[in-house]
Amino acid sequence: MDQIVESPEKKPLANTRKVFVKTYGCQMNVYDSQRMTDALSEQGYEPTDTVEDADLVLLNTCHIREKASEKVYSELGRLQKMKRKRAKAGAADLKVGVAGCVAQAEGAEIIRRAPVVDLVIGPTTYHRLPDVLARVESGQRVIETEYAVEDKFEHLPEINREKTLARGVSAFLTVQEGCDKFCTFCVVPYTRGSEVSRPLSQLIVEARRLVDAGVREITLLGQNVNAWHGEGPDGKPWGLGDLLYHLAEIDGIARLRYTTSHPRDMDMRLIEAHRDLPKLMPYLHLPVQSGSDRILKAMNRRHKAEDYIRLIDQIRDVRPDLALSGDFITGFPGETDEDFEDTIRLVERVGYASAFSFKYSARPGTPGADLPDHVPEEVKAERLERLQKLLMAQQTAFQQSLVGQTMDVLMEKPGREPGQMVGRSPWLLPVIVDANPAKIGDIISVRITKAGTNSLHADPA
Ligand code: 5AD
Ligand code: SF4
């Protein structure tokens, strides 16, 4: 969930103003960048993937770890130089905006530290972007980071059919934002605010629009996606499981996924959805962070290692082909060698198909930063290396286990080599099909011939 992605939007038109959007962090930012691009297109801005062509550059930022935030300031330094060069050459002015979680957390600081920045906009206020831009164009520098009382999704433009099509057959749909869990290492409850679930009716409309545009696979997104709750058509409270059952009934949706979940919110209905819904893909990102009860407590995860293992067993009972992914942190304050061994033991017991792991990064304002016994950087790094070796071995073993298997693959795009196509396996891994047997959006059966580092090769079955 947390890999850095850069997703400049494509297809510039001549003689229009152009916006370059750079996305950092999680898939929720990818979704937000797409919606901002749609909103800006109504203001006459067309997306470009070349920063040099842009009239407006928007950095949609991530604040989760120190390194993620630092990237923003170095990018702003580069933009400052570009702006100066343009001014010298008498070229059109460049406007620069910072959006996302760094904007939310450090708005005033950004304006102070980076004179190149014209606007700062937080993740709950993207629908105000057109108004903010109008103020920028009249010469102001604008900070818009107050939590919006109105629903941003109600005010953002509708899903744009043409742009959705251009983005491909697999789409994100944010169903929930924010987090009330307050894990002691995490900035999300402060940057994204408290949990807000989008109403069911809004989600159904958006899902149908995506399907009408040709989307076949929808990934439901939320910082804490399985905390989604709403009112069902029956007037009863619904959870994510109910939502998945409901969405699975929409013709045209071939595949459903959801990310990221918290173990405490994996209820029976959601587990049953994994048993009952063939459209729900057998892949689950369920972070545990640590295998030590002491550290889990200090992290305020509010479950024990054993609870997590029991939960995984329960889900695997109903969906034996489930592949698991997780997030891990090494060197949380107070973590001893023995605590770390507990993490290793948990990983060995559970077995992951993929994982993201990080050294603990103390984030100002979070309770973890004020805890005693911070772990030296070199110890964090050593533990991370050992953990990653184990996770990588598990990932390789998982991918190798797929060789020789026949599976359904959703065709997503042409491959790099002529005659090749790239699709997606049920377990999220890209599959390069060495033939051109289908159209984009088709689901075809293939036989896996080879596993690479991050992709599989296959022949039509
Ligand atoms: N330090 C290190 N990793 C962190 N994560 C979140 N906050 C921190 C932090 N302060 C990791 C967690 C989370 C993922 C998105 O990022 O593993 O699940
Ligand atoms: Fe952060 Fe914990 Fe909320 Fe996940 S559940 S967003 S790690 S506070």
mmCIF file with all atom_site columns, all heavy atoms in Angstrom, residues 64 179-183 185-189 223-224 262 289 301, ligand 2:
data_model
loop_
_atom_site.group_PDB
_atom_site.id
_atom_site.type_symbol
_atom_site.label_atom_id
_atom_site.label_alt_id
_atom_site.label_comp_id
_atom_site.label_asym_id
_atom_site.label_entity_id
_atom_site.label_seq_id
_atom_site.pdbx_PDB_ins_code
_atom_site.Cartn_x
_atom_site.Cartn_y
_atom_site.Cartn_z
_atom_site.occupancy
_atom_site.B_iso_or_equiv
_atom_site.pdbx_formal_charge
_atom_site.auth_seq_id
_atom_site.auth_comp_id
_atom_site.auth_asym_id
_atom_site.auth_atom_id
_atom_site.pdbx_PDB_model_num
ATOM   1   N  N   . ILE A 1 64  ? 4.060   10.120 5.822  1.00 0.00 ? 64  ILE A N   1
ATOM   2   C  CA  . ILE A 1 64  ? 4.044   8.958  6.711  1.00 0.00 ? 64  ILE A CA  1
ATOM   3   C  C   . ILE A 1 64  ? 5.378   8.733  7.416  1.00 0.00 ? 64  ILE A C   1
ATOM   4   O  O   . ILE A 1 64  ? 5.405   8.418  8.588  1.00 0.00 ? 64  ILE A O   1
ATOM   5   C  CB  . ILE A 1 64  ? 3.559   7.679  5.958  1.00 0.00 ? 64  ILE A CB  1
ATOM   6   C  CG1 . ILE A 1 64  ? 3.094   6.610  6.939  1.00 0.00 ? 64  ILE A CG1 1
ATOM   7   C  CG2 . ILE A 1 64  ? 4.575   7.129  5.006  1.00 0.00 ? 64  ILE A CG2 1
ATOM   8   C  CD1 . ILE A 1 64  ? 1.647   6.668  7.256  1.00 0.00 ? 64  ILE A CD1 1
ATOM   9   N  N   . CYS A 1 179 ? -8.694  8.156  10.102 1.00 0.00 ? 179 CYS A N   1
ATOM   10  C  CA  . CYS A 1 179 ? -8.467  7.024  10.989 1.00 0.00 ? 179 CYS A CA  1
ATOM   11  C  C   . CYS A 1 179 ? -8.639  7.438  12.438 1.00 0.00 ? 179 CYS A C   1
ATOM   12  O  O   . CYS A 1 179 ? -8.159  8.490  12.834 1.00 0.00 ? 179 CYS A O   1
ATOM   13  C  CB  . CYS A 1 179 ? -7.058  6.487  10.741 1.00 0.00 ? 179 CYS A CB  1
ATOM   14  S  SG  . CYS A 1 179 ? -6.752  5.035  11.735 1.00 0.00 ? 179 CYS A SG  1
ATOM   15  N  N   . ASP A 1 180 ? -9.344  6.586  13.178 1.00 0.00 ? 180 ASP A N   1
ATOM   16  C  CA  . ASP A 1 180 ? -9.536  6.837  14.618 1.00 0.00 ? 180 ASP A CA  1
ATOM   17  C  C   . ASP A 1 180 ? -8.721  5.887  15.478 1.00 0.00 ? 180 ASP A C   1
ATOM   18  O  O   . ASP A 1 180 ? -8.936  5.786  16.675 1.00 0.00 ? 180 ASP A O   1
ATOM   19  C  CB  . ASP A 1 180 ? -11.022 6.641  15.006 1.00 0.00 ? 180 ASP A CB  1
ATOM   20  C  CG  . ASP A 1 180 ? -11.928 7.662  14.351 1.00 0.00 ? 180 ASP A CG  1
ATOM   21  O  OD1 . ASP A 1 180 ? -11.416 8.711  13.913 1.00 0.00 ? 180 ASP A OD1 1
ATOM   22  O  OD2 . ASP A 1 180 ? -13.149 7.412  14.271 1.00 0.00 ? 180 ASP A OD2 1
ATOM   23  N  N   . LYS A 1 181 ? -7.792  5.155  14.877 1.00 0.00 ? 181 LYS A N   1
ATOM   24  C  CA  . LYS A 1 181 ? -7.108  4.105  15.627 1.00 0.00 ? 181 LYS A CA  1
ATOM   25  C  C   . LYS A 1 181 ? -5.957  4.645  16.475 1.00 0.00 ? 181 LYS A C   1
ATOM   26  O  O   . LYS A 1 181 ? -5.604  4.057  17.479 1.00 0.00 ? 181 LYS A O   1
ATOM   27  C  CB  . LYS A 1 181 ? -6.559  3.039  14.669 1.00 0.00 ? 181 LYS A CB  1
ATOM   28  C  CG  . LYS A 1 181 ? -7.638  2.211  13.971 1.00 0.00 ? 181 LYS A CG  1
ATOM   29  C  CD  . LYS A 1 181 ? -8.198  1.153  14.906 1.00 0.00 ? 181 LYS A CD  1
ATOM   30  C  CE  . LYS A 1 181 ? -9.153  0.208  14.222 1.00 0.00 ? 181 LYS A CE  1
ATOM   31  N  NZ  . LYS A 1 181 ? -10.407 0.810  13.784 1.00 0.00 ? 181 LYS A NZ  1
ATOM   32  N  N   . PHE A 1 182 ? -5.325  5.687  16.028 1.00 0.00 ? 182 PHE A N   1
ATOM   33  C  CA  . PHE A 1 182 ? -4.229  6.313  16.774 1.00 0.00 ? 182 PHE A CA  1
ATOM   34  C  C   . PHE A 1 182 ? -3.129  5.330  17.175 1.00 0.00 ? 182 PHE A C   1
ATOM   35  O  O   . PHE A 1 182 ? -2.768  5.227  18.349 1.00 0.00 ? 182 PHE A O   1
ATOM   36  C  CB  . PHE A 1 182 ? -4.765  7.057  18.020 1.00 0.00 ? 182 PHE A CB  1
ATOM   37  C  CG  . PHE A 1 182 ? -5.498  8.314  17.646 1.00 0.00 ? 182 PHE A CG  1
ATOM   38  C  CD1 . PHE A 1 182 ? -6.879  8.305  17.459 1.00 0.00 ? 182 PHE A CD1 1
ATOM   39  C  CD2 . PHE A 1 182 ? -4.801  9.508  17.434 1.00 0.00 ? 182 PHE A CD2 1
ATOM   40  C  CE1 . PHE A 1 182 ? -7.555  9.456  17.080 1.00 0.00 ? 182 PHE A CE1 1
ATOM   41  C  CE2 . PHE A 1 182 ? -5.478  10.662 17.064 1.00 0.00 ? 182 PHE A CE2 1
ATOM   42  C  CZ  . PHE A 1 182 ? -6.856  10.634 16.894 1.00 0.00 ? 182 PHE A CZ  1
ATOM   43  N  N   . CYS A 1 183 ? -2.624  4.587  16.215 1.00 0.00 ? 183 CYS A N   1
ATOM   44  C  CA  . CYS A 1 183 ? -1.406  3.822  16.454 1.00 0.00 ? 183 CYS A CA  1
ATOM   45  C  C   . CYS A 1 183 ? -0.332  4.858  16.813 1.00 0.00 ? 183 CYS A C   1
ATOM   46  O  O   . CYS A 1 183 ? -0.271  5.921  16.174 1.00 0.00 ? 183 CYS A O   1
ATOM   47  C  CB  . CYS A 1 183 ? -0.998  3.063  15.199 1.00 0.00 ? 183 CYS A CB  1
ATOM   48  S  SG  . CYS A 1 183 ? -2.280  1.911  14.677 1.00 0.00 ? 183 CYS A SG  1
ATOM   49  N  N   . PHE A 1 185 ? 2.704   5.306  16.333 1.00 0.00 ? 185 PHE A N   1
ATOM   50  C  CA  . PHE A 1 185 ? 3.766   5.701  15.391 1.00 0.00 ? 185 PHE A CA  1
ATOM   51  C  C   . PHE A 1 185 ? 3.238   6.559  14.247 1.00 0.00 ? 185 PHE A C   1
ATOM   52  O  O   . PHE A 1 185 ? 4.013   7.104  13.477 1.00 0.00 ? 185 PHE A O   1
ATOM   53  C  CB  . PHE A 1 185 ? 4.455   4.455  14.795 1.00 0.00 ? 185 PHE A CB  1
ATOM   54  C  CG  . PHE A 1 185 ? 3.481   3.465  14.194 1.00 0.00 ? 185 PHE A CG  1
ATOM   55  C  CD1 . PHE A 1 185 ? 2.969   3.650  12.928 1.00 0.00 ? 185 PHE A CD1 1
ATOM   56  C  CD2 . PHE A 1 185 ? 3.077   2.358  14.919 1.00 0.00 ? 185 PHE A CD2 1
ATOM   57  C  CE1 . PHE A 1 185 ? 2.070   2.750  12.388 1.00 0.00 ? 185 PHE A CE1 1
ATOM   58  C  CE2 . PHE A 1 185 ? 2.174   1.451  14.403 1.00 0.00 ? 185 PHE A CE2 1
ATOM   59  C  CZ  . PHE A 1 185 ? 1.656   1.650  13.121 1.00 0.00 ? 185 PHE A CZ  1
ATOM   60  N  N   . CYS A 1 186 ? 1.928   6.685  14.120 1.00 0.00 ? 186 CYS A N   1
ATOM   61  C  CA  . CYS A 1 186 ? 1.346   7.076  12.835 1.00 0.00 ? 186 CYS A CA  1
ATOM   62  C  C   . CYS A 1 186 ? 0.770   8.493  12.807 1.00 0.00 ? 186 CYS A C   1
ATOM   63  O  O   . CYS A 1 186 ? 0.067   8.908  13.729 1.00 0.00 ? 186 CYS A O   1
ATOM   64  C  CB  . CYS A 1 186 ? 0.250   6.072  12.484 1.00 0.00 ? 186 CYS A CB  1
ATOM   65  S  SG  . CYS A 1 186 ? -0.439  6.332  10.856 1.00 0.00 ? 186 CYS A SG  1
ATOM   66  N  N   . VAL A 1 187 ? 1.036   9.197  11.721 1.00 0.00 ? 187 VAL A N   1
ATOM   67  C  CA  . VAL A 1 187 ? 0.551   10.585 11.577 1.00 0.00 ? 187 VAL A CA  1
ATOM   68  C  C   . VAL A 1 187 ? -0.844  10.664 10.969 1.00 0.00 ? 187 VAL A C   1
ATOM   69  O  O   . VAL A 1 187 ? -1.468  11.734 10.992 1.00 0.00 ? 187 VAL A O   1
ATOM   70  C  CB  . VAL A 1 187 ? 1.489   11.432 10.674 1.00 0.00 ? 187 VAL A CB  1
ATOM   71  C  CG1 . VAL A 1 187 ? 2.787   11.761 11.385 1.00 0.00 ? 187 VAL A CG1 1
ATOM   72  C  CG2 . VAL A 1 187 ? 1.729   10.760 9.337  1.00 0.00 ? 187 VAL A CG2 1
ATOM   73  N  N   . VAL A 1 188 ? -1.320  9.546  10.421 1.00 0.00 ? 188 VAL A N   1
ATOM   74  C  CA  . VAL A 1 188 ? -2.567  9.609  9.637  1.00 0.00 ? 188 VAL A CA  1
ATOM   75  C  C   . VAL A 1 188 ? -3.752  10.219 10.396 1.00 0.00 ? 188 VAL A C   1
ATOM   76  O  O   . VAL A 1 188 ? -4.456  11.069 9.856  1.00 0.00 ? 188 VAL A O   1
ATOM   77  C  CB  . VAL A 1 188 ? -2.907  8.219  9.046  1.00 0.00 ? 188 VAL A CB  1
ATOM   78  C  CG1 . VAL A 1 188 ? -4.336  8.170  8.527  1.00 0.00 ? 188 VAL A CG1 1
ATOM   79  C  CG2 . VAL A 1 188 ? -1.934  7.874  7.932  1.00 0.00 ? 188 VAL A CG2 1
ATOM   80  N  N   . PRO A 1 189 ? -3.995  9.823  11.661 1.00 0.00 ? 189 PRO A N   1
ATOM   81  C  CA  . PRO A 1 189 ? -5.139  10.418 12.354 1.00 0.00 ? 189 PRO A CA  1
ATOM   82  C  C   . PRO A 1 189 ? -5.032  11.946 12.452 1.00 0.00 ? 189 PRO A C   1
ATOM   83  O  O   . PRO A 1 189 ? -6.045  12.631 12.582 1.00 0.00 ? 189 PRO A O   1
ATOM   84  C  CB  . PRO A 1 189 ? -5.088  9.783  13.747 1.00 0.00 ? 189 PRO A CB  1
ATOM   85  C  CG  . PRO A 1 189 ? -4.364  8.491  13.539 1.00 0.00 ? 189 PRO A CG  1
ATOM   86  C  CD  . PRO A 1 189 ? -3.338  8.784  12.482 1.00 0.00 ? 189 PRO A CD  1
ATOM   87  N  N   . GLN A 1 223 ? -7.948  4.548  4.470  1.00 0.00 ? 223 GLN A N   1
ATOM   88  C  CA  . GLN A 1 223 ? -6.824  4.399  5.404  1.00 0.00 ? 223 GLN A CA  1
ATOM   89  C  C   . GLN A 1 223 ? -7.112  3.227  6.325  1.00 0.00 ? 223 GLN A C   1
ATOM   90  O  O   . GLN A 1 223 ? -6.219  2.554  6.801  1.00 0.00 ? 223 GLN A O   1
ATOM   91  C  CB  . GLN A 1 223 ? -6.682  5.659  6.261  1.00 0.00 ? 223 GLN A CB  1
ATOM   92  C  CG  . GLN A 1 223 ? -5.593  6.571  5.805  1.00 0.00 ? 223 GLN A CG  1
ATOM   93  C  CD  . GLN A 1 223 ? -6.138  7.648  4.893  1.00 0.00 ? 223 GLN A CD  1
ATOM   94  O  OE1 . GLN A 1 223 ? -7.298  8.039  5.012  1.00 0.00 ? 223 GLN A OE1 1
ATOM   95  N  NE2 . GLN A 1 223 ? -5.325  8.126  4.003  1.00 0.00 ? 223 GLN A NE2 1
ATOM   96  N  N   . ASN A 1 224 ? -8.406  3.029  6.547  1.00 0.00 ? 224 ASN A N   1
ATOM   97  C  CA  . ASN A 1 224 ? -8.856  1.972  7.440  1.00 0.00 ? 224 ASN A CA  1
ATOM   98  C  C   . ASN A 1 224 ? -10.114 1.411  6.804  1.00 0.00 ? 224 ASN A C   1
ATOM   99  O  O   . ASN A 1 224 ? -11.205 1.510  7.345  1.00 0.00 ? 224 ASN A O   1
ATOM   100 C  CB  . ASN A 1 224 ? -9.189  2.632  8.768  1.00 0.00 ? 224 ASN A CB  1
ATOM   101 C  CG  . ASN A 1 224 ? -8.884  1.731  9.912  1.00 0.00 ? 224 ASN A CG  1
ATOM   102 O  OD1 . ASN A 1 224 ? -8.995  0.507  9.783  1.00 0.00 ? 224 ASN A OD1 1
ATOM   103 N  ND2 . ASN A 1 224 ? -8.536  2.311  11.010 1.00 0.00 ? 224 ASN A ND2 1
ATOM   104 N  N   . HIS A 1 262 ? -7.400  -2.954 9.040  1.00 0.00 ? 262 HIS A N   1
ATOM   105 C  CA  . HIS A 1 262 ? -6.857  -3.129 10.389 1.00 0.00 ? 262 HIS A CA  1
ATOM   106 C  C   . HIS A 1 262 ? -7.399  -4.462 10.932 1.00 0.00 ? 262 HIS A C   1
ATOM   107 O  O   . HIS A 1 262 ? -8.592  -4.746 10.775 1.00 0.00 ? 262 HIS A O   1
ATOM   108 C  CB  . HIS A 1 262 ? -7.299  -1.969 11.280 1.00 0.00 ? 262 HIS A CB  1
ATOM   109 C  CG  . HIS A 1 262 ? -6.582  -1.930 12.597 1.00 0.00 ? 262 HIS A CG  1
ATOM   110 N  ND1 . HIS A 1 262 ? -6.803  -2.851 13.599 1.00 0.00 ? 262 HIS A ND1 1
ATOM   111 C  CD2 . HIS A 1 262 ? -5.621  -1.095 13.059 1.00 0.00 ? 262 HIS A CD2 1
ATOM   112 C  CE1 . HIS A 1 262 ? -6.013  -2.572 14.625 1.00 0.00 ? 262 HIS A CE1 1
ATOM   113 N  NE2 . HIS A 1 262 ? -5.293  -1.506 14.331 1.00 0.00 ? 262 HIS A NE2 1
ATOM   114 N  N   . GLN A 1 289 ? 2.466   -5.038 11.781 1.00 0.00 ? 289 GLN A N   1
ATOM   115 C  CA  . GLN A 1 289 ? 3.518   -4.115 12.262 1.00 0.00 ? 289 GLN A CA  1
ATOM   116 C  C   . GLN A 1 289 ? 4.584   -4.792 13.128 1.00 0.00 ? 289 GLN A C   1
ATOM   117 O  O   . GLN A 1 289 ? 5.763   -4.518 12.970 1.00 0.00 ? 289 GLN A O   1
ATOM   118 C  CB  . GLN A 1 289 ? 2.939   -2.908 13.032 1.00 0.00 ? 289 GLN A CB  1
ATOM   119 C  CG  . GLN A 1 289 ? 1.725   -2.245 12.412 1.00 0.00 ? 289 GLN A CG  1
ATOM   120 C  CD  . GLN A 1 289 ? 1.993   -1.556 11.086 1.00 0.00 ? 289 GLN A CD  1
ATOM   121 O  OE1 . GLN A 1 289 ? 3.125   -1.474 10.632 1.00 0.00 ? 289 GLN A OE1 1
ATOM   122 N  NE2 . GLN A 1 289 ? 0.949   -1.066 10.420 1.00 0.00 ? 289 GLN A NE2 1
ATOM   123 N  N   . ARG A 1 301 ? -1.927  -1.004 19.057 1.00 0.00 ? 301 ARG A N   1
ATOM   124 C  CA  . ARG A 1 301 ? -2.626  -1.749 17.998 1.00 0.00 ? 301 ARG A CA  1
ATOM   125 C  C   . ARG A 1 301 ? -3.876  -2.445 18.540 1.00 0.00 ? 301 ARG A C   1
ATOM   126 O  O   . ARG A 1 301 ? -4.720  -2.895 17.797 1.00 0.00 ? 301 ARG A O   1
ATOM   127 C  CB  . ARG A 1 301 ? -1.676  -2.776 17.361 1.00 0.00 ? 301 ARG A CB  1
ATOM   128 C  CG  . ARG A 1 301 ? -0.516  -2.145 16.613 1.00 0.00 ? 301 ARG A CG  1
ATOM   129 C  CD  . ARG A 1 301 ? -0.973  -1.445 15.355 1.00 0.00 ? 301 ARG A CD  1
ATOM   130 N  NE  . ARG A 1 301 ? -1.426  -2.395 14.342 1.00 0.00 ? 301 ARG A NE  1
ATOM   131 C  CZ  . ARG A 1 301 ? -1.894  -2.026 13.142 1.00 0.00 ? 301 ARG A CZ  1
ATOM   132 N  NH1 . ARG A 1 301 ? -1.978  -0.757 12.811 1.00 0.00 ? 301 ARG A NH1 1
ATOM   133 N  NH2 . ARG A 1 301 ? -2.289  -2.928 12.289 1.00 0.00 ? 301 ARG A NH2 1
HETATM 134 FE FE1 . SF4 B 2 .   ? -2.091  4.815  10.996 1.00 0.00 ? 2   SF4 B FE1 1
HETATM 135 FE FE2 . SF4 B 2 .   ? -2.828  2.850  12.668 1.00 0.00 ? 2   SF4 B FE2 1
HETATM 136 FE FE3 . SF4 B 2 .   ? -4.691  4.341  11.446 1.00 0.00 ? 2   SF4 B FE3 1
HETATM 137 FE FE4 . SF4 B 2 .   ? -3.252  2.580  10.016 1.00 0.00 ? 2   SF4 B FE4 1
HETATM 138 S  S1  . SF4 B 2 .   ? -4.681  2.087  11.677 1.00 0.00 ? 2   SF4 B S1  1
HETATM 139 S  S2  . SF4 B 2 .   ? -3.712  4.724  9.448  1.00 0.00 ? 2   SF4 B S2  1
HETATM 140 S  S3  . SF4 B 2 .   ? -1.261  2.703  11.033 1.00 0.00 ? 2   SF4 B S3  1
HETATM 141 S  S4  . SF4 B 2 .   ? -3.195  5.062  12.944 1.00 0.00 ? 2   SF4 B S4  1
#
